Amino acid sequence: MSTVASADFDYIAALVRDEAAIVIEPSKAYLVESRLSPVARRHGQGSIAEVVSRLRNGDRKLRTEVIEAMTTNETSWFRDVHPFEALHRHVIPELVKRRSQRRQITIWCGAASTGQEPYSVAMLLADRHPELANWNLRIIATDISGEVLGKAMAGRYSQMEVNRGLPAPVLAKHFRRDGADWVLSDRIRNMVEFRMLNLVGSWPVLPPVDVVFLRNVLIYFDLPTKRAILSRVRGAMQEDGYLFLGAPETTLNLDDAFRRVAFDKTSCYQRNDMGAGR
Ligand SMILES: C[S@@+](CC[C@H](N)C(=O)[O-])C[C@H]1O[C@@H](n2cnc3c(N)ncnc32)[C@H](O)[C@@H]1O
């Protein structure tokens, strides 16, 4: 049971929907309480009602913190394994053939959270694709939250965080211990460019993208928002690019201009108008 007054819940839900398109159902009112109580304490406020009152008075900094606190940043290394295997076994080899002239591959992680996803991609390319050594590889990682991007850029993870999906040899190869934490090597860190991008806001200019990871973020949006984002993502992709979504997500019944491409134990999506590639 949440103790947040319904008018305060409505205010927060509307704010988060307007700014980030994230839908919080009334049944999830407890989330408002559990996530905003620490924000309230940080700002010396005794209650969420006081936070809402400051928001109503136009406190911009608090507004950003509230939106960030209401995002779910759950992530892990090589999450779900199979998309990364598909990237390694099928997508990269295909792109190596198709891009042999330009020797350039751009990968975009559109909801990168604290960095585990783009860094997993970077380690996979570094460790398992030596043929790309002299290629121009760009891994662009974006998120709405400056807080998670800051953590991602720092490349510093707790033991608990590295325990989630990082194989021991990969940990040993790319991280060094620093006190209780693990710090990612500069080599891998420098492979990833981080930027702020709100999927429902105006986007910074992106180069045409060969592979999009847009995983475990569409689930937070309503149908029209999912459709609008998928259409914009399609526009950002090379004609023969690949889109990976999260396990519970699909383009089916949302965007007919994508077709599903099955790999061994997973699938991704390609544009229906796919041509010969650029
Ligand atoms: C559950 S995490 C997924 C992380 C990673 N893609 C994965 O699958 O492990 C969802 C991420 O989406 C971000 N997010 C939520 N709404 C967003 C929006 N409107 N624009 C961009 N990112 C958003 C959150 O900040 C959060 O880091």
Side-chain angles (χ1 to χ4, degrees):
M1 252 279 285
S2 166
T3 57
V4 177
S6 73
D8 292 339
F9 170 81
D10 291 347
Y11 185 90
I12 299 289
L15 173 69
V16 175
R17 177 187 277 265
D18 291 349
E19 299 283 332
I22 296 170
V23 179
I24 309 169
E25 301 293 347
S27 61
K28 297 265 177 75
Y30 65 89
L31 271 185
V32 171
E33 182 161 25
S34 62
R35 294 196 177 167
L36 295 193
S37 295
V39 177
R41 279 197 295 279
R42 247 191 340 263
H43 283 263
Q45 308 294 308
S47 67
I48 287 163
E50 286 174 44
V51 169
V52 171
S53 144
R54 273 180 64 173
L55 292 172
R56 286 186 197 275
N57 286 329
D59 187 329
R60 300 289 309 174
K61 186 168 171 289
L62 186 59
R63 192 180 167 88
T64 304
E65 276 186 54
V66 163
I67 294 160
E68 292 191 341
M70 291 310 303
T71 59
T72 299
N73 308 123
E74 165 77 13
T75 189
S76 56
W77 304 95
F78 300 96
R79 186 172 185 174
D80 303 333
V81 181
H82 303 300
F84 292 91
E85 281 306 303
L87 181 71
H88 164 55
R89 291 185 193 288
H90 303 284
V91 172
I92 295 295
E94 187 59 36
L95 289 173
V96 166
K97 276 191 243 151
R98 285 173 176 267
R99 306 287 187 266
S100 61
Q101 294 299 313
R102 295 180 72 192
R103 299 169 78 81
Q104 179 173 330
I105 295 177
T106 301
I107 299 178
W108 171 35
C109 294
S113 189
T114 42
Q116 283 86 335
E117 182 177 83
Y119 288 142
S120 297
V121 171
M123 291 187 285
L124 184 148
L125 296 185
D127 292 345
R128 302 173 78 182
H129 290 280
E131 73 278 20
L132 295 175
N134 295 317
W135 284 48
N136 178 9
L137 301 177
R138 288 188 74 181
I139 303 172
I140 301 168
T142 64
D143 200 282
I144 190 176
S145 163
E147 193 183 346
V148 294
L149 289 175
K151 179 170 163 61
M153 280 186 265
R156 174 180 284 272
Y157 298 94
S158 68
Q159 182 71 52
M160 214 159 76
E161 286 168 325
V162 299
N163 284 349
R164 299 195 57 205
L166 201 56
V170 180
L171 176 66
K173 181 164 183 193
H174 294 295
F175 290 76
R176 69 176 165 80
R177 245 211 128 110
D178 184 24
D181 294 339
W182 292 90
V183 179
L184 185 58
S185 69
D186 287 346
R187 179 184 172 217
I188 299 297
R189 243 167 15 98
N190 292 337
M191 287 176 71
V192 182
E193 307 162 35
F194 289 97
R195 293 191 208 165
M196 206 110 127
L197 185 152
N198 181 349
L199 290 163
V200 293
S202 56
W203 293 7
V205 177
L206 294 170
V209 182
D210 298 298
V211 184
V212 181
F213 277 66
L214 190 70
R215 303 180 62 222
N216 303 298
V217 65
L218 291 180
I219 35 169
Y220 301 109
F221 304 142
D222 63 19
L223 270 176
T225 307
K226 288 186 221 258
R227 287 205 171 103
I229 292 174
L230 282 171
S231 158
R232 282 176 91 182
V233 166
R234 193 158 32 77
M237 289 169 62
Q238 295 271 23
E239 274 182 7
D240 58 350
Y242 296 84
L243 167 67
F244 285 94
L245 298 176
E249 297 160 334
T250 175
T251 64
L252 300 180
N253 302 322
L254 287 176
D255 190 334
D256 291 344
F258 278 110
R259 67 189 173 87
R260 188 166 158 270
V261 181
F263 294 120
D264 313 323
K265 289 184 176 161
T266 188
S267 54
C268 72
Y269 301 88
Q270 288 200 285
R271 287 168 50 164
N272 262 334
D273 59 351
M274 174 179 155
R278 283 178 238 170

